[in-house]
Amino acid sequence: MNYAAPAVVGNTIFPFGPGLYAAQMSDADVTTIIEHATGETREDASMGLVGNIEKEVWCESEWIDTVLTPMLSPHVQQYLNELSMSGRIGPSTPVAYNAARIQEGAAGPDAKITTDMRVVNAWVNFTSPGPDFNPPHIHNSDLSCILYLDVPDEMGTIHEDSKTPWRHNGCTQFLYGAPSPFSTNEFVIDPPTLGRLVIFPANLTHYVMPYYNKSGQKRVSLSANFQLDQSVTSQPWQRKYEWEESLPN
């Protein structure tokens, strides 16, 4: 059976309704984040997050504002532009997705979105082989991202004695659709690669399976949440039409 290829606009792929943005960050950016996460004592984040991960650390707020936000902001801007150009918008997406379609008329590839964005929080996950994993979850924000900072040489099995290659161990997996049998679509970022940035709607369910690595190498990733300024546009599905206006006296 032949399946239709997912739609792609620029760096954004649409395997289902929501779009997933992917880009390659520089080695210098990766090094900067790693040095921040490991260079000083960081506040432990493992008790405040859903992941079953022994070591997770919060990024410091001033560093987020001065270093991380300028680093990620152009990619968020491009993601919003590509979402608008694709026409994949609606009530389930952040309001700012629609800015270009309302303000600029969504003039095809020339449509641009300019909206305020701030990084609400960011943290680094040091996922160990064995018991560490991230269960299916969503984030309480507008957008979220994953940036792979270090990837083990092998993640193909679930434990040392396993003879079966578990294809998606250690990979980021997304779920979309109705929570009923045969109604949920899955998309796997496979395999994770060093420096890859993935941006997605924060309300899109995602998770990471455990993995085994005989060398004990950790899977290290940055996670961040973005809040968009929703004052830049009005929700098109809530706009008033002529027949909704008050009747004349």
Side-chain angles (χ1 to χ4, degrees):
M1 179 181 295
N2 295 323
Y3 295 94
V8 178
V9 177
N11 284 23
T12 304
I13 186 171
F14 296 87
F16 29 51
L20 308 174
Y21 173 93
Q24 186 66 31
M25 304 294 287
S26 70
D27 292 343
D29 289 339
V30 170
T31 299
T32 296
I33 298 171
I34 287 287
E35 288 178 348
H36 177 76
T38 60
E40 300 178 18
T41 301
R42 297 292 168 212
E43 183 180 353
D44 176 52
S46 59
M47 296 300 293
L49 300 169
V50 300
N52 184 44
I53 300 175
E54 183 177 356
K55 183 179 180 181
E56 297 174 289
V57 298
W58 293 112
C59 295
E60 192 268 332
S61 58
E62 183 177 352
W63 181 85
I64 289 175
D65 292 339
T66 59
V67 179
L68 188 63
T69 297
M71 187 186 297
L72 299 180
S73 180
H75 294 281
V76 173
Q77 191 67 59
Q78 182 175 345
Y79 179 44
L80 293 175
N81 290 335
E82 292 172 357
L83 285 172
S84 181
M85 286 186 281
S86 74
R88 300 292 187 95
I89 58 175
S92 63
T93 58
V95 175
Y97 283 14
N98 302 285
R101 300 183 68 81
I102 299 301
Q103 295 183 343
E104 305 295 337
D110 297 326
K112 299 295 182 183
I113 293 178
T114 301
T115 182
D116 291 335
M117 179 276 293
R118 69 183 182 93
V119 179
V120 179
N121 50 23
W123 62 97
V124 175
N125 309 282
F126 295 86
T127 306
S128 297
D132 285 9
F133 70 98
N134 242 319
H137 65 284
I138 62 174
H139 294 186
N140 184 24
S141 192
D142 286 327
L143 302 176
S144 296
C145 79
I146 301 165
L147 172 57
Y148 302 112
L149 303 173
D150 198 3
V151 181
D153 294 333
E154 56 180 340
M155 298 186 294
T157 62
I158 199 167
H159 57 82
E160 182 176 5
D161 298 326
S162 175
K163 304 300 182 183
T164 303
W166 295 86
R167 181 178 178 186
H168 299 322
N169 282 23
C171 298
T172 304
Q173 304 182 61
F174 293 93
L175 295 175
Y176 177 75
S180 58
F182 312 114
S183 297
T184 300
N185 296 305
E186 182 182 66
F187 185 76
V188 183
I189 304 295
D190 184 19
T193 56
L194 181 65
R196 177 181 289 173
L197 171 70
V198 180
I199 305 177
F200 53 94
N203 62 357
L204 183 61
T205 301
H206 56 286
Y207 64 102
V208 180
M209 291 287 288
Y211 69 92
Y212 171 74
N213 183 284
K214 62 185 177 183
S215 301
Q217 294 174 304
K218 295 183 183 294
R219 177 190 185 277
V220 185
S221 62
L222 171 85
S223 295
N225 289 322
F226 307 93
Q227 189 73 41
L228 305 176
D229 180 3
Q230 299 189 342
S231 67
V232 297
T233 185
S234 61
Q235 297 159 309
W237 55 91
Q238 293 181 358
R239 285 181 294 171
K240 285 187 175 296
Y241 297 90
E242 291 182 1
W243 51 267
E244 292 181 300
E245 299 296 337
S246 301
L247 294 175
N249 295 329

